[in-house]
Amino acid sequence: MLSFIARRIAAGAVLLFVISFLSHLLLSVPDLDVGRQLLGSGATQDLVDAKNAELGLDRSVLVQYLDWVAHAVRGDFGTSWFTGENVVQAIGTRLPVTISLLVGVTLVTAVLSLLLGVWAGVRRGGPVDRLVQVLAVAGYALPGFLVTLIIVVVFAVRLGWFPAIGYTGFTESPSGWLSTVTLPILSLSVGSVAGLTQQVRAAVIDVLRQDYVRTLRARGLPPSRIVFRHVVRNAAAPALTVLGVQFVGLLGGAVLVEQIFGLPGLGGMTVAYTTRGDIPVIMALVMVTVLVVVTINLVVDVLIGWLNPKARVA
Amino acid sequence: MKKTARAAATVAACVTAATVLAGCSGSGSAGSGSTTLSIATLTLPQSLDPADANGSALPFFQAVYDTLLKREPDGTYAPMLATAWKYNDDRTELALTLRGDVKFDDGTPFDAAAVKANMERFVKKTGAQAKTLKDVESIEVVDAAHVTLKLGRPNPAMLFYLSDAAGLMANPAAFAKSGDPLKTRPDGTGPYELDTGKTAIGTRWAFRRATSYWGRGLPYENVTINYFDNETALVNGIKTGQVNAAVLQDADQQAGVENAPKVTTVKQEFDFQGLLLFDRGGVVTPALRDTRVRQAINHAIDRRTMLDKLRQGRGQITNQIFGTDTAAYKKELDAYYAHDPAKARELLKQAGFGGGFTLRLPRITAIVPDALASSLQTDLGKVGIKVTWQTIDPGSIRQVFGQRAYSAMVMNLGQSATDWVTVGDYVTPGVFNMFGYSDATVKELLPKIQRAPVEEAGPHLQALNEHLVKDAWFVPFYRMTYLHVSDGSVKITPQSGMAVPSLYNYAPAK
């Protein structure tokens, strides 16, 4: 298991390098005259050239990249060209917001989908199963932004139970943090709960049909024990895979939710800084995203391996 | 393995309970009452260095910096860091008298040398506003309290600029430091200081009352300015009281907030939307060289329908670029060009373009949504002008202004209350006149306007405005009504010639 993790980490590191180089190449298009953008159209060409030289943009792309790597491995991602912020600090203040959302949604999705999916699968055709079917279709069919807007209007504007916008840091006030992330998490969870519940339900039904379950029943094991000890364990692996894929997909959904709730997360930052071509910030954001995706995939694989020894490919 | 099930159930219960608890204690983080003013904006300042300042981001800067002159809500000037100002007879020297009791936080005195250092740096840093001081040839320090600006030629907008970005005064001690500290740690003499602990640059700027302010402070202990990239979040913030004040540009959003309980609104017309014809010399699109072609475009467009359909009628049709607060403004010019496709076709025929021509236009989707794009394409298509839209992202706007790749562009532009600001922005060669086009009438009128005292320039300005309209330099559509909205706790006074109110224009509602 440990060697498996070590190999995956090594592969992740290689991936970081490859993606950082490709991103750098893509961002180094000659048309992106950063100096001109920074100084405005009123500046003379001499000033623009001097600015580009100051930023080191007059060097070859490879030299620029190696310079970036040399600093990045020491944790120095430079400063934003446009706002003068330290990139690490800027991302540091926004990362907790997005991570709060992603982790929150993943937990809520995992717990709710497991409970609902198992219940629906075990009691097929019962009232809970029917309800789950209806909700799943609704959760799938409704576009994310519509769900989010409805949630804001109902729970924040009309009922006033939660704030409509903004974010409070966990360290600042845990209860404030919870009240500001609840609605965004709820908004993002609707779609993923709908998807995963169906997945769990199908897996449970599939496992219940297996011969060994019939054998266990014949031996007189109590149904609850069969379900939680055997069925859930075998149904969990495909569900975890879906959850991992969903988590990565959430990065896109988070952009929208952060905009509607006015949350100072990475989503809005990515949009704002990318359109301006702020390369130090974009590079760091790409690295953070790759790191998150690699980590999630690793965690999912380890969990699946732990649940199901057969999946541990040596 | 029962443990797993129990654990799962416990987690589920905790999540649910926590949600309910949070719901019970759900109070926003934004302040209410009169200790904190929470403003929302769609404008992102590049940084808090005055060299990067511009009009719509001015409130950010007004919190931490003072300007030489203060601009009152009606557009008149009042003393601020400068207590008096006087022109010489030919309006080429502007003498300023400065306050003597103002210091920066580190003890550096604010004096004539500081003014000189700030203005010279402002030009050298070539920010977007650097051009506003292009007529200043030199700055002479007379003594600590007196400074004289020597102008290469008279500039009727100079006082306006000194009450705007070019008049923001930062601590000269910060200029020499490496790494542009002013960008993230502003250092001025203003009524507030940036609370870096509560600030997340790019989303929320928190300001707390400065410990020692030379002037009369503003009525709020704290001010936060929150950036949003969409008006939906902003409207929700207003409705829940998490945001106290904002400006709404979008007609649908305005309609959605007007009847909300407690919300108070004030209307203001500031920006106009229109097609700016840069290429009146016909460099890229030869047809535009003929005045009749430009007039035909003006006649082809159905402004009334556009205003009703695209902005729910929230605005006023106009054919002139000068705003209602200027001396150049003539009400009758608002409707100079009637919607008349037959006349447009006739004019095109006279100009030798009866067979029509193609007009390539850049399009930034945030400014030109689908409805507007197809409306213009249809109206102009009916008279034989084929519009082809080319979508560009805001980052490549350089192609328009730097490379002069396009003949015209649809834009939303402010209408200053100061005539010469409008002239400088749109008529003289520069950013919005990048082809440098001019004509005999304009060349004759501009020096007259420049040399006349502001109060006597009216007739020349009206003549200029009339010429620009009749010669079809531009194709303005309408002035757009913007809505200042408050959650009911703030009284907002709009600022003449500015889309957003000055920071000084907010007060607790009685």
Side-chain angles (χ1 to χ4, degrees), chain B residues 292-361:
Chain B
R292 289 166 297 190
V293 171
R294 302 198 298 265
Q295 289 168 335
I297 297 175
N298 269 295
H299 278 300
I301 286 172
D302 183 358
R303 293 176 172 84
R304 170 51 56 196
T305 304
M306 282 166 67
L307 183 61
D308 289 344
K309 291 281 180 291
L310 300 170
R311 289 199 55 82
Q312 303 187 9
R314 290 164 187 266
Q316 294 289 333
I317 287 175
T318 185
N319 294 173
Q320 56 193 325
I321 58 164
F322 284 91
T324 50
D325 289 347
T326 58
Y329 177 78
K330 290 175 85 169
K331 191 164 172 41
E332 61 267 31
L333 290 176
D334 274 345
Y336 183 79
Y337 291 102
H339 173 52
D340 190 345
K343 189 167 183 185
R345 276 190 294 269
E346 179 58 30
L347 283 163
L348 284 170
K349 207 162 94 187
Q350 287 172 13
F353 288 95
F357 66 95
T358 300
L359 187 59
R360 270 188 334 122
L361 294 177

Side-chain angles (χ1 to χ4, degrees), chain B residues 56 71 411 436:
Chain B
S56 47
R71 200 159 72 244
M411 304 188 90

Side-chain angles (χ1 to χ4, degrees), chain B residues 354-374:
Chain B
F357 66 95
T358 300
L359 187 59
R360 270 188 334 122
L361 294 177
R363 175 181 171 199
I364 292 173
T365 40
I367 297 172
V368 185
D370 291 345
L372 176 58
S374 66

Side-chain angles (χ1 to χ4, degrees), chain B residues 58-73:
Chain B
L58 203 60
F60 287 94
F61 294 89
Q62 289 173 325
V64 283
Y65 301 101
D66 292 318
T67 41
L68 289 168
L69 273 57
K70 184 182 179 202
R71 200 159 72 244
E72 298 291 3

Side-chain angles (χ1 to χ4, degrees), chain B residues 158-302:
Chain B
M158 193 48 67
L159 294 181
F160 172 86
Y161 295 140
L162 298 187
S163 70
D164 204 73
L168 293 162
M169 292 291 132
N171 187 345
F175 297 167
K177 290 180 184 160
S178 65
D180 291 336
L182 288 173
K183 277 183 184 283
T184 50
R185 290 191 303 284
D187 185 357
T189 61
Y192 295 95
E193 41 200 38
L194 187 69
D195 186 344
T196 44
K198 292 184 179 163
T199 295
I201 288 182
T203 50
R204 179 175 63 176
W205 288 257
F207 301 96
R208 57 169 181 262
R209 199 187 278 290
T211 39
S212 58
Y213 182 52
W214 59 267
R216 208 159 50 95
L218 303 182
Y220 298 94
E221 279 301 313
N222 304 289
V223 173
T224 58
I225 305 183
N226 305 281
Y227 167 76
F228 294 98
D229 57 5
N230 65 93
E231 289 191 345
T232 306
L234 200 145
V235 166
N236 288 330
I238 289 277
K239 284 179 178 171
T240 56
Q242 291 178 270
V243 171
N244 307 131
V247 183
L248 296 179
Q249 302 186 2
D250 184 83
D252 296 331
Q253 297 286 5
Q254 292 180 14
V257 82
E258 272 169 343
N259 301 320
K262 288 201 228 156
V263 172
T264 54
T265 60
V266 185
K267 286 189 173 131
Q268 186 188 8
E269 280 173 21
F270 175 70
D271 281 3
F272 79 96
Q273 184 173 64
L275 178 66
L276 260 68
L277 305 174
F278 311 125
D279 189 15
R280 299 169 211 104
V283 178
V284 177
T285 311
L288 291 180
R289 193 181 311 139
D290 195 310
T291 300
R292 289 166 297 190
V293 171
R294 302 198 298 265
Q295 289 168 335
I297 297 175
N298 269 295
H299 278 300
I301 286 172
D302 183 358

Side-chain angles (χ1 to χ4, degrees), chain B residues 339-420:
Chain B
H339 173 52
D340 190 345
K343 189 167 183 185
R345 276 190 294 269
E346 179 58 30
L347 283 163
L348 284 170
K349 207 162 94 187
Q350 287 172 13
F353 288 95
F357 66 95
T358 300
L359 187 59
R360 270 188 334 122
L361 294 177
R363 175 181 171 199
I364 292 173
T365 40
I367 297 172
V368 185
D370 291 345
L372 176 58
S374 66
S375 164
L376 287 171
Q377 214 160 18
T378 309
D379 284 352
L380 291 170
K382 279 179 185 161
V383 302
I385 301 170
K386 186 173 181 293
V387 172
T388 53
W389 290 107
Q390 296 195 326
T391 305
I392 59 172
D393 64 281
S396 1
I397 198 146
R398 222 166 40 82
Q399 295 174 351
V400 180
F401 297 108
Q403 298 166 358
R404 307 198 293 192
Y406 296 96
S407 292
M409 183 174 181
V410 173
M411 304 188 90
N412 301 345
L413 294 162
Q415 291 195 314
S416 173
T418 309
D419 293 271
W420 194 253

Side-chain angles (χ1 to χ4, degrees), chain B residues 446-493:
Chain B
L446 289 190
K448 288 183 185 168
I449 296 167
Q450 265 181 299
R451 281 196 294 267
V454 173
E455 55 278 7
E456 292 168 23
H460 302 310
L461 282 161
Q462 296 213 333
L464 173 72
N465 188 12
E466 196 159 324
H467 169 71
L468 295 178
V469 172
K470 291 179 176 172
D471 200 57
W473 273 46
F474 305 95
V475 190
F477 308 151
Y478 35 68
R479 290 186 293 275
M480 298 184 282
T481 302
Y482 287 173
L483 200 64
H484 297 278
V485 290
S486 148
D487 66 334
S489 69
V490 181
K491 180 174 180 297
I492 305 169
T493 311

Side-chain angles (χ1 to χ4, degrees), chain A residues 31 36 39 94 164-165 259, chain B residues 126 201 229-230 242 398:
Chain A
D31 188 48
R36 171 65 62 191
L39 299 179
R94 290 176 172 82
I165 51 163
Q259 286 182 330
Chain B
T126 65
I201 288 182
D229 57 5
N230 65 93
Q242 291 178 270
R398 222 166 40 82

